[in-house]
Amino acid sequence: MDLHFTADEPTASEVDAVDAVLGAAESRWHGGQRVDPSEAQTSESGHRTAGQRHLLLPVLHEINGRVGWISRGALNYACKRLEVPPAEAYGVATFYDMFSLEQAPPVVARVCDDIACQAKGAIDLCASLERAMGPAGDGNAGRCGWVRSPCLGQCERAPAVLVTAAGERPWTSVIAPATAQAVEAACSKDSPTDGPQVRESVPQAGQASLQLLHRVGSPSAQSLKEYRADGGLRAWELALDQGSEWVIEQVEKSNLVGRGGAAFPTGRKWRAVAQAGGPKYVVCNADESEPGTFKDRVLMEGDPFGVVEAIMIAAFATASERAYVYVRGEYPDATEGMRSAIAELDSAGLLKRACPIEIRRGAGAYICGEETALFNSIEGFRGEPRNKPPYPTESGLFGRPTLVNNVETLANVLRILPQGGAAYAALGTERSSGPKLFCLSGHVAKPGVYEIPFGATVRELIELAGGVSGTGRLQAVLVGGAAGAFLGPDELDAPFTFEGMRAVGATVGSAVVMPFDDSVDLGGVLLRIAEFFRDESCGQCVPCRVGTVRQEELLERLRSGHTIGTLDHERQLLREVSQVMRDASICGLGHTASSAVDSALERFPIFQGATR
Amino acid sequence: MLWGSNARETHPIYFHHVLKGIRNGAPLYVVDPRRTSSAQWADCWLGLDVGTDITLANAVGREILAAGLENRQFIEHATSRFEAYQAAVEPFTLGFAERETGVPRAAIRDLAHAYAKAPTAQLCWTLGITEHHQGVDNVLGLINLALLTGHVGRYGSGLCPLRGQNNVQGGGDMGALPDRLTGFQHVANDACRAKFEAAWNCKIPPKPGRHISGMFKAMDQGDLKTLYVLGENPVGSEPDTKHVMATMDKLDFLVVQDLFLTQTAEIADVVLPASAGWAESEGTVTSSERKVQRVRRAVEPAPGTKDDIAIVFDLANRLGHDWGEPNPEALWNELRTLSPMHAGMSYERLEALGGIRWPCYDESHPGELFLHGRLWANPRIGPRAPFSVVQPEPPVDQLDDDFPIRLTTGRRLDEYNTGVQTGAYASPLRRQEAVDISPEDAAQYGLHEYEQVRISSRRGSVVAPVRFDPGLRPGLAFMTMHAPDEVNTNELTIEAIDPKSGVSEFKATAIRIDKMVGASAGD
Amino acid sequence: MSDQSLADAPDLTVPVPPGPVPSAPSRDQRPEVELSVDGQRVSVPEGSTLLDACRQCGIDTPTLCYVETLTPVNVCRVCVVELEGSRTLVPACSRKAEPGMAIRTDSERVRLSRRMVLEFLASSTDVTQSPELSSYMESYGADPERYGERDAQAESKTQPAKVDNELYVRDYAKCVLCYKCVEACGEDAQNTFAIAVAGRGFEAHIATEFDVSLPESACVYCGNCIGVCPTGALVFKAEHDLRERGEWDASRQESTDTICPYCGVGCTLSVHTQDNQIVKVTSPLDQEVTSGNLCIKGRFGWQFTTVASKAADDTAAEGE
């Protein structure tokens, strides 16, 4: 391509960062030095050097990770190496919250002020940090800065803070539950602070009944040897013995449906991809970003070999040539756990019968959990969802048939194969089979990930987690996530199953159960949810890009009482905004951006105040 | 394959179609001494030394033969003189070609195999092929490759010179060639001539006329004393400006018909102010793809100017011939009666179809999408297509210690020829006219960017700023002739003419670059 | 050329006889797909979109981000229709027709979504120079005033028009983010990639790298972005200046198709004139050579004609 670059040159450490991902430049024509005279009269470009764009995000991560921000010179060099137009790379870099395109302090504390953390004092934490470290924003000239962040997926130990430090060896620290002093202390160090143990996130840890969480906290996460000793790789060996057709049959018979939120029958996806012509891919969606959700993080931190084993089975069953694990950027520990598990399995030669597995890190964009946005993100584009159809099983990653499954969904496969699909299907209810992970946070006594077969009611789940904490008087429960719904105290006997939730106008979503006591300002929670969607909308389609803003404005007006026209008029407008987002948006984000708000306004007497 | 063409900049909308091909998976090969913006899109760029095109073409042909990739069936069915060609290219091994052209043998082999194996292949060239003293032989060398592989006369395969001007093809179609009448009918053919003589009621000399360099030679020798120049600026565009001025000075009478008072018009005895052909006149032009399209009047000509046709009519009138009122459509219809390949192109059909490609023999004929399909007909129609034996010669202006740098010339995206037209708009891409050199040469001569230097050839010298182009290598420099008022590049170029085409060797000049004595930084 | 005998070379003075008329290989006939549009049965070739089907039925379907020459991005969502069996509405511009589909183009749901999309755009963008959008707003009864003062505006919408060169003006307050300019600058036509969508959500906007000025960017001023802009966010400087001076008057303008005076490719230029002066140059979308695209010379290189006229005017004036 005939690319144009500004005159800005990269620094030595920026060059090192890019080269760390890509290796040294292959020729003078693609970012290298003009030293080899044999290059002076020929070059290869075009199709022969295309196809590196998928490395854009890893390269940007490396630059941002080492330098703390992405300068013009760094972007130029990355673009020369990858043959990507700088304007496009800039468009990609500015899409993600975790990249800075302006000089930023090397150490940044990301302070979650999302709904679960707000229920546990995040507002006070932010106020203390402001006093201690100055106003939020990463534009500070000093060594440390802090920014507000959407849900960090650490809700069970709220309020949560993620500290990221740039340098030749970037490090991160999770501080949760966090105090201003702890955050300041972590920021002032030049090495990571030990974070909380994953075992503490699973109050049931050690219980014999656990099927998905049974290894969390055991030594099996530490090494392949321990994993094998704990019965690991049995499903994989079974799959190899019985063959891919048998594997797919079991998954079909299990009635397993996706645990990421859309509840699509997993067996059907596996079948479709297995039948498609290659090359094809497996993608493990570990971009868990739904506010209130942290189960996939716990699985990856607590049983990384198990997750990878499931990916290997999926790749084997579908005859895929490569698998990607897309882990959200805010999950450094899960990323590290998965990375070392993959490396160990690879060096033991076990990936040969499956396929190479690569980790890709998200960079702070909720939308990338949407499967087609995730594909675009892996491919090095902005994480904008694609229109469907075509569906991923037909045209997914790199336009090829792709199996995309959520982490928890895959983890279930390890339970299905040993007992057979039919036996698995007997667990849970008829329409909601199998064991299920639930994310309990907010006002519960013992927050954490809980595993229980499908069928328990919302009340039972709350009781499992020690009942309502705070004032002890329940006001509302958010179920399914920020894209889910609020239930009132009179709806707690609804079974938390696909059918049970549908009956009360809610969804299983990502299995969030977040009770709020009666001290919580529910209007404020709704506003935070609206703010979340406004922040996280990719901006591609009009209904969502503008609708999420108008929704937030409307809620603010309703809350303050400064309405335009009558209250009824405003509520009607809100209903119409909700409908156009639900009906006309491209993807699930827009479709569900008003769900929680709608459900709350139906059930609770909020925003009934006087008009102006 | 783009050979001697920077279509990305010189034929941008044509290049859009190339890009579509690339997006559909077609490989692109670019042969050009410079790594141009076109070359940056190429799967493989072959940066040959200036003037070694025949060596490279012959080596590609030899490699195709050595690998047994030639299209035997086509060669036997439709070509002649293959054996002579085969014998002639035999010495052009990959190793020989690498030494002579500077292009690594692997790249030459790559090109040969890709071109021969491609199901369809286009070979396009521009002035990088023709502006040499062996320009015609260069073209013949490329035609050989198409004949060898059968990449001609089929849908998707062919040879295409990308024309540099909107109606340079039309000029030839209309008979503005020394040896042809309208529709490429040869003046030496009695029957053709008789048809025109009957229609025009005059005698037509059977002897071919002179091409432009022939005219200059005749002027030099005193055989041509009167010159009528229409829409050309030879003072700005011809090589070796000093010599051109001296030659033009020998004329008794110079008439220039132009939109502007060009450098040539400034020395004319009479200037006939013309209106703009593309937006102030009615008529037709013919594009690179032989497509005749209508031009229409969008604005009224400026007061005092006239349509080219009207001026010619007035002139005829003064010379005692009443041709009546000029009417473009009537003239076109007269042409259709004389030129069989235009016969089916009524104005009505040109409007309805948005243009028609010649040949178009009658009003039911659709015009032809590509030429030379006859070579594939069975039995073949018309004569065989001959291979040509072509042997390379180095550029006339040789490099030596005094003039060690090879200057080649070309065009930039936003400019056009001598800048007469493009000078009028404020292009944000326009930078100072400069000599582009490689970063290595810049370092060797101790130059900083935009420093003024003196550039000299055996014929003259100019002063210009230097600019660094990483697409150039040591010993290779590049200039344009877009701004002769700023930097008159043709002071340097050589009037070494290809006797077959009359085109000069603009692409190969030996120069020297000297730092200006006493120059300070920032000049 | 070598001294080889020319005996078997063809005689150039003799015209070559005409051969068979060569043509492109014929494409396979596409089978037809039958579907129902507002209860009307309609049959379209396989691969057609719902928009094609609507147009075949003579149904006026609003579009903003769609244009025949670019890949549909289906982002504006103003063309949505109701598809039986689909939970959500679907974009007509990109959804392929399938046998047996039943769509409704004028249901209450469709009208609401279209009206809301138009209101959303008008409430967040200056749409005064988009007559198409304004007329759709009227027919769908869109009322952007319902959202009150424009207090929430994206940063890119509050900046003055960018005038950083002599050929283009970019006024992003008028941008509806239809992606057309990005597509025209990118893979669908020019492949220069000088601009892309940057930022996210409401703050998403069209930008060069680091928002550098156009002269610092990769822009080659082909003007193909302006050619597809539906809202006047991108305009020729000449047009911008005339508008600023209040002299732009579309009702006094004519357009004449002619051929570009520069290279030999043969691009059709539509020369727009007002009072015998060229005011802009475009190319027809359905033109096989250009598909509506031009280069800097074709798009802007016409000024020599005006200059020539002016020079002649001056000469004439001096003569009087």
Side-chain angles (χ1 to χ4, degrees):
Chain A
M1 294 171 78
D2 52 339
L3 297 179
H4 171 95
F5 298 97
T6 58
D8 307 281
E9 295 288 339
T11 64
S13 56
E14 289 165 345
V15 170
D16 287 348
V18 176
D19 290 358
V21 180
L22 302 177
E26 274 187 20
S27 84
R28 68 172 66 176
W29 305 116
H30 299 101
Q33 298 294 310
R34 293 170 73 93
V35 283
D36 180 355
S38 76
E39 293 166 5
Q41 290 186 260
T42 189
S43 70
E44 295 201 339
S45 310
H47 300 107
R48 296 186 186 170
T49 52
Q52 290 198 88
R53 176 143 185 178
H54 68 103
L55 294 170
L56 180 57
L57 217 56
V59 163
L60 294 176
H61 258 306
E62 199 65 31
I63 299 170
N64 204 85
R66 292 197 189 201
V67 187
W69 67 294
I70 300 163
S71 73
R72 292 184 183 204
L75 195 79
N76 276 348
Y77 182 65
C79 288
K80 274 180 200 168
R81 295 295 316 276
L82 294 169
E83 229 179 339
V84 170
E88 291 247 317
Y90 178 76
V92 171
T94 54
F95 189 83
Y96 298 96
D97 280 347
M98 295 179 79
F99 296 144
S100 177
L101 280 299
E102 285 164 12
Q103 188 150 15
V107 180
V108 177
R110 295 172 192 280
V111 183
C112 178
D113 68 345
D114 217 319
I115 43 178
C117 286
Q118 277 199 13
K120 295 292 177 74
I123 303 289
D124 290 344
L125 175 62
C126 288
S128 314
L129 283 172
E130 186 156 345
R131 282 193 297 275
M133 298 173 70
D138 56 11
N140 300 2
R143 182 176 173 273
C144 309
W146 71 280
V147 294
R148 292 172 203 271
S149 168
C151 180
L152 289 169
Q154 309 273 358
C155 322
E156 79 278 26
R157 41 212 193 195
V161 173
L162 173 68
V163 177
T164 58
E168 206 162 314
R169 289 205 177 149
W171 54 263
T172 56
S173 301
V174 173
I175 315 293
T179 60
Q181 293 84 345
V183 173
E184 262 199 292
C187 286
S188 59
K189 289 171 61 176
D190 46 19
S191 61
T193 303
D194 283 341
Q197 294 298 308
V198 64
R199 193 179 203 284
E200 294 157 24
S201 301
V202 181
Q204 299 164 307
Q207 289 181 17
S209 63
L210 296 181
Q211 302 207 15
L212 302 172
L213 298 173
H214 62 295
R215 291 203 187 93
V216 175
S218 84
S220 69
Q222 305 305 316
S223 73
L224 181 55
K225 198 174 148 226
E226 297 280 1
Y227 181 66
R228 271 192 189 281
D230 198 14
L233 290 179
R234 245 191 292 169
W236 165 245
E237 279 153 12
L238 201 55
L240 291 184
D241 277 354
Q242 301 288 327
S244 53
E245 177 56 33
W246 178 83
V247 172
I248 293 170
E249 268 172 28
Q250 301 316 309
V251 177
E252 282 172 335
K253 283 186 193 156
S254 73
N255 290 336
L256 174 65
V257 300
R259 305 299 201 224
F264 189 83
T266 306
R268 255 202 267 167
K269 280 192 192 176
W270 285 43
R271 174 71 66 196
V273 175
Q275 282 172 347
K280 45 200 174 180
Y281 302 100
V282 169
V283 172
C284 170
N285 185 345
D287 192 45
E288 177 178 69
S289 310
E290 184 69 37
T293 313
F294 44 95
K295 61 192 177 61
D296 292 345
R297 192 202 85 229
V298 166
L299 277 175
M300 289 187 287
E301 287 179 4
D303 188 12
F305 285 98
V307 178
V308 181
E309 183 184 348
I311 295 169
M312 288 161 62
I313 295 169
F316 168 74
T318 53
S320 291
E321 70 168 34
R322 187 171 283 272
Y324 292 87
V325 189
Y326 189 95
V327 190
R328 79 175 291 205
E330 294 86 344
Y331 280 0
D333 296 344
T335 307
E336 204 32 57
M338 293 291 286
R339 199 189 297 282
S340 56
I342 291 167
E344 251 196 282
L345 286 160
D346 190 21
S347 51
L350 286 161
L351 297 190
K352 282 199 198 96
R353 297 278 317 261
C355 70
I357 302 175
E358 259 186 63
I359 291 193
R360 292 303 174 92
R361 286 157 68 202
Y366 167 74
I367 188 60
C368 290
E370 199 284 337
E371 55 194 13
T372 59
L374 189 156
F375 299 151
N376 277 341
S377 183
I378 292 181
E379 290 179 26
F381 292 86
R382 294 163 56 79
E384 292 174 353
R386 304 172 184 169
N387 213 59
K388 288 188 270 193
Y391 294 97
T393 51
E394 190 187 323
S395 171
L397 187 62
F398 302 113
R400 302 300 312 169
T402 303
L403 173 68
V404 50
N405 278 148
N406 157 270
V407 173
E408 184 192 345
T409 313
L410 285 167
N412 275 279
V413 173
L414 301 191
R415 310 312 308 168
I416 292 169
L417 297 193
Q419 58 184 313
Y424 174 95
L427 200 61
T429 70
E430 196 187 335
R431 294 201 171 167
S432 308
S433 68
K436 179 73 189 102
L437 302 184
F438 294 91
C439 307
L440 279 107
S441 65
H443 285 133
V444 285
K446 290 184 285 173
V449 181
Y450 287 84
E451 178 185 325
I452 189 166
F454 262 124
T457 63
V458 177
R459 186 188 308 281
E460 286 161 355
L461 285 164
I462 293 172
E463 276 161 13
L464 193 61
V468 177
S469 64
T471 64
R473 291 183 299 273
L474 183 68
Q475 180 179 191
V477 191
L478 178 65
V479 294
F486 282 94
L487 299 181
D490 53 341
E491 293 170 295
L492 300 186
D493 293 320
F496 207 128
T497 57
F498 295 110
E499 58 278 18
M501 285 295 108
R502 200 173 305 129
V504 291
T507 63
V508 168
S510 55
V512 166
V513 181
M514 195 187 292
F516 293 98
D517 74 12
D518 64 355
S519 72
V520 169
D521 166 17
L522 214 48
V525 175
L526 294 192
L527 255 175
R528 182 65 187 90
I529 290 174
E531 182 196 334
F532 174 81
F533 284 111
R534 187 256 293 145
D535 255 354
E536 296 295 345
S537 168
C538 79
Q540 189 184 196
C541 72
V542 176
C544 176
R545 178 177 78 233
V546 185
T548 51
V549 173
R550 297 296 174 244
Q551 171 175 267
E552 188 189 4
E553 288 169 355
L554 268 158
L555 291 178
E556 261 166 14
R557 291 206 295 270
L558 287 168
R559 189 160 184 241
S560 67
H562 296 301
T563 54
I564 300 169
T566 65
L567 193 63
D568 280 350
H569 176 268
E570 292 278 69
R571 294 188 75 135
Q572 172 62 22
L573 186 53
L574 190 59
R575 273 192 290 276
E576 292 185 5
V577 168
S578 162
Q579 190 178 337
V580 67
M581 288 199 285
R582 205 166 48 237
D583 269 354
S585 297
I586 291 180
C587 79
L589 189 153
H591 295 155
T592 57
S594 58
S595 304
V597 172
D598 288 349
S599 70
L601 294 185
E602 272 167 29
R603 287 175 170 82
F604 307 108
I606 8 181
F607 307 147
Q608 306 283 22
T611 52
R612 181 166 39 169
Chain B
M1 196 194 307
L2 289 174
W3 198 314
S5 161
N6 184 15
R8 177 61 155 161
E9 293 191 43
T10 57
H11 300 87
I13 299 301
Y14 163 75
F15 202 77
H16 280 195
H17 295 262
V18 173
L19 287 163
K20 278 184 202 156
I22 292 174
R23 296 288 177 201
N24 286 334
L28 172 71
Y29 287 77
V30 173
V31 181
D32 197 305
R34 298 185 296 145
R35 191 169 183 267
T36 59
S37 46
S38 306
Q40 291 174 42
W41 283 95
D43 290 71
C44 183
W45 161 64
L46 293 88
L48 81 181
D49 286 340
V50 175
T52 62
D53 302 85
I54 290 174
T55 304
L56 185 63
N58 284 352
V60 169
R62 186 197 180 276
E63 175 59 24
I64 289 172
L65 286 164
L69 296 171
E70 75 276 17
N71 188 332
R72 279 279 159 187
Q73 217 181 340
F74 179 76
I75 293 168
E76 276 157 27
H77 178 71
T79 71
S80 63
R81 304 171 70 193
F82 169 68
E83 288 73 18
Y85 172 75
Q86 186 171 28
V89 298
E90 183 49 33
F92 291 84
T93 60
L94 293 177
F96 174 77
E98 177 176 295
R99 284 192 300 281
E100 292 294 312
T101 66
V103 179
R105 68 181 73 198
I108 304 172
R109 184 179 181 279
D110 178 6
L111 168 67
H113 287 242
Y115 182 66
K117 287 180 187 162
T120 58
Q122 291 280 353
L123 205 176
C124 303
W125 66 87
T126 316
L127 301 178
I129 277 297
T130 52
E131 285 186 348
H132 290 277
H133 82 281
Q134 276 190 297
V136 172
D137 284 0
N138 282 346
V139 173
L140 292 171
L142 301 185
I143 292 172
N144 287 336
L145 299 180
L147 295 178
L148 196 57
T149 53
H151 284 317
V152 65
R154 287 189 294 132
Y155 179 74
S157 269
L159 291 150
C160 184
L162 300 170
R163 316 311 304 253
Q165 301 177 16
N166 78 336
N167 200 29
V168 69
Q169 182 66 50
D173 294 359
M174 295 303 104
L177 294 170
D179 56 351
R180 304 293 170 121
L181 292 158
T182 312
F184 300 103
Q185 298 171 85
H186 210 284
V187 287
N189 182 305
D190 295 341
C192 292
R193 223 170 47 253
K195 181 170 63 175
F196 283 87
E197 286 173 344
W200 293 348
N201 192 25
C202 66
K203 286 305 278 183
I204 295 170
K207 200 171 122 259
R210 295 185 175 101
H211 45 57
I212 186 160
S213 39
M215 290 187 222
F216 272 87
K217 199 168 164 196
M219 286 186 254
D220 243 350
Q221 292 169 348
D223 296 339
L224 184 64
K225 306 296 279 182
T226 298
L227 192 67
Y228 180 8
V229 179
L230 291 91
E232 272 278 344
N233 180 22
V235 172
S237 62
E238 291 303 298
D240 196 350
T241 310
K242 267 188 220 137
H243 185 214
V244 170
M245 290 296 279
T247 303
M248 304 273 282
D249 208 36
K250 294 182 186 170
L251 288 169
D252 287 346
F253 191 52
L254 174 63
V255 183
V256 172
Q257 180 169 322
D258 208 298
L259 305 183
F260 295 98
L261 199 64
T262 60
Q263 292 145 295
T264 312
E266 276 177 23
I267 60 166
D269 297 285
V270 174
V271 178
L272 301 168
S275 58
W278 71 286
E280 296 174 346
S281 311
E282 295 287 332
T284 65
V285 291
T286 312
S287 74
S288 249
E289 49 170 343
R290 298 169 284 104
K291 194 166 161 191
V292 176
Q293 292 169 290
R294 286 272 285 111
V295 290
R296 298 177 186 84
R297 172 172 287 184
V299 285
E300 291 301 317
T305 69
K306 282 188 176 174
D307 220 310
D308 288 311
I309 299 176
I311 296 173
V312 174
F313 269 58
D314 282 357
L315 198 60
N317 206 2
R318 292 290 192 91
L319 293 168
H321 298 273
D322 181 8
W323 289 355
E325 277 301 303
N327 176 332
E329 186 171 3
L331 278 170
W332 180 253
N333 285 334
E334 178 199 297
L335 169 134
R336 290 170 55 212
T337 65
L338 294 169
S339 170
M341 61 188 253
H342 293 105
M345 300 182 184
S346 65
Y347 263 30
E348 200 182 328
R349 288 191 79 208
L350 288 174
E351 299 277 357
L353 301 175
I356 300 174
R357 293 178 190 86
W358 60 250
C360 172
Y361 298 107
D362 58 57
E363 293 204 21
S364 65
H365 193 286
E368 297 191 1
L369 196 54
F370 53 91
L371 291 180
H372 312 301
R374 66 175 186 84
L375 294 174
W376 291 89
N378 205 355
R380 191 192 63 252
I381 297 165
R384 288 173 176 273
F387 279 93
S388 309
V389 170
V390 286
Q391 297 292 350
E393 289 167 17
V396 174
D397 208 14
Q398 303 246 2
L399 300 179
D400 61 18
D401 289 347
D402 289 335
F403 299 99
I405 295 177
R406 176 60 75 200
L407 170 70
T408 192
T409 62
R411 280 134 178 94
R412 298 191 202 277
L413 172 67
D414 57 329
E415 301 286 358
Y416 187 67
N417 295 349
T418 58
V420 170
Q421 288 164 224
T422 44
Y425 83 106
S427 166
L429 298 173
R430 190 173 295 138
R431 299 177 296 172
Q432 266 177 292
E433 192 55 36
V435 56
D436 292 358
I437 60 172
S438 67
E440 289 82 0
D441 281 346
Q444 195 198 322
Y445 292 108
L447 302 172
H448 59 79
E449 200 152 30
Y450 289 103
E451 174 174 346
Q452 295 282 340
V453 293
R454 178 163 295 283
I455 307 137
S456 315
S457 77
R458 295 186 176 95
R459 288 152 298 282
S461 85
V462 296
V463 172
V466 283
R467 198 161 40 216
F468 306 160
D469 177 357
L472 296 170
R473 57 182 169 272
L476 184 63
F478 176 79
M479 293 175 79
T480 79
M481 57 154 161
H482 293 315
D485 294 340
E486 256 179 74
V487 177
N488 191 358
T489 305
N490 281 331
E491 295 268 354
L492 306 170
T493 49
I494 182 168
E495 199 189 352
I497 293 156
D498 182 345
K500 293 172 192 159
S501 66
V503 172
S504 299
E505 192 155 61
F506 289 100
K507 297 297 184 192
T509 305
I511 59 159
R512 183 175 68 232
I513 292 177
D514 294 309
K515 216 172 156 73
M516 302 281 279
V517 182
S520 62
D523 277 359
Chain C
M1 203 186 288
S2 80
D3 54 355
Q4 204 201 346
S5 155
L6 292 170
D8 53 351
D11 181 354
L12 293 176
T13 68
V14 179
V16 174
V21 179
S23 60
S26 62
R27 295 262 158 93
D28 293 341
Q29 198 69 37
R30 287 186 290 168
E32 295 276 310
V33 171
E34 205 172 275
L35 67 159
S36 121
V37 178
D38 293 339
Q40 227 184 112
R41 299 217 68 78
V42 54
S43 177
V44 292
E46 197 178 78
S48 304
T49 60
L50 296 182
L51 182 64
D52 295 330
C54 291
R55 287 183 173 173
Q56 197 170 308
C57 294
I59 294 165
D60 177 30
T61 307
T63 59
L64 275 175
C65 68
Y66 175 81
V67 63
E68 288 78 352
T69 51
L70 303 175
T71 313
V73 286
N74 58 68
V75 298
C76 78
R77 314 305 278 190
V78 78
C79 72
V80 286
V81 295
E82 195 168 344
L83 169 65
E84 205 177 275
S86 168
R87 192 168 44 85
T88 58
L89 304 178
V90 301
C93 69
S94 65
R95 187 62 184 263
K96 297 268 190 290
E98 293 166 28
M101 273 183 167
I103 62 168
R104 303 221 68 91
T105 70
D106 206 31
S107 66
E108 206 33 60
R109 253 177 105 191
V110 169
R111 289 191 65 85
L112 179 119
S113 274
R114 290 182 180 178
R115 172 168 57 83
M116 292 299 286
V117 163
L118 293 165
E119 278 183 4
F120 279 176
L121 287 175
S123 75
S124 56
T125 318
D126 170 4
V127 296
T128 52
Q129 270 175 44
S130 178
E132 243 188 339
L133 203 149
S134 307
S135 88
Y136 285 132
M137 283 177 62
E138 203 164 303
S139 50
Y140 284 90
D143 172 20
E145 303 306 313
R146 300 203 284 165
Y147 304 89
E149 304 267 316
R150 292 191 187 175
D151 45 9
Q153 289 300 317
E155 198 187 327
S156 60
K157 300 274 163 88
T158 55
Q159 289 170 3
K162 291 177 195 280
V163 189
D164 55 17
N165 69 86
E166 286 300 309
L167 303 181
Y168 288 15
V169 174
R170 295 175 293 154
D171 183 358
Y172 287 123
K174 298 191 178 76
C175 175
V176 291
L177 217 67
C178 69
Y179 287 56
K180 280 178 177 169
C181 57
V182 174
E183 289 199 293
C185 188
E187 224 168 287
D188 277 351
Q190 179 57 32
N191 283 271
T192 288
F193 303 96
I195 47 172
V197 181
R200 194 172 76 198
F202 202 56
E203 296 295 337
H205 61 287
I206 308 294
T208 58
E209 64 273 25
F210 292 93
D211 281 309
V212 299
S213 68
L214 280 193
E216 281 180 275
S217 79
C219 179
V220 291
Y221 306 92
C222 61
N224 295 330
C225 54
I226 303 179
V228 293
C229 180
T231 60
L234 302 173
V235 285
F236 301 115
K237 175 88 166 18
E239 175 178 341
H240 173 82
D241 291 349
L242 285 169
R243 284 186 187 274
E244 291 277 286
R245 294 203 300 269
E247 292 170 16
W248 181 265
D249 182 357
S251 69
R252 300 212 309 274
Q253 291 174 8
E254 284 175 62
S255 167
T256 309
D257 284 0
T258 186
I259 302 299
C260 179
Y262 292 104
C263 81
V265 172
C267 300
T268 298
L269 303 185
S270 298
V271 178
H272 302 255
T273 56
Q274 180 178 322
D275 308 331
N276 200 36
Q277 288 292 323
I278 300 174
V279 291
K280 75 173 171 188
V281 167
T282 61
S283 185
L285 291 180
D286 59 358
Q287 219 271 332
E288 64 170 1
V289 173
T290 67
S291 299
N293 299 307
L294 294 171
C295 75
I296 181 171
K297 291 196 291 289
R299 189 81 72 174
F300 299 103
W302 46 266
Q303 286 173 3
F304 74 91
T305 309
T306 311
V307 170
S309 309
K310 288 213 173 106
D313 279 347
D314 296 346
T315 317
E318 276 165 31
E320 279 160 15

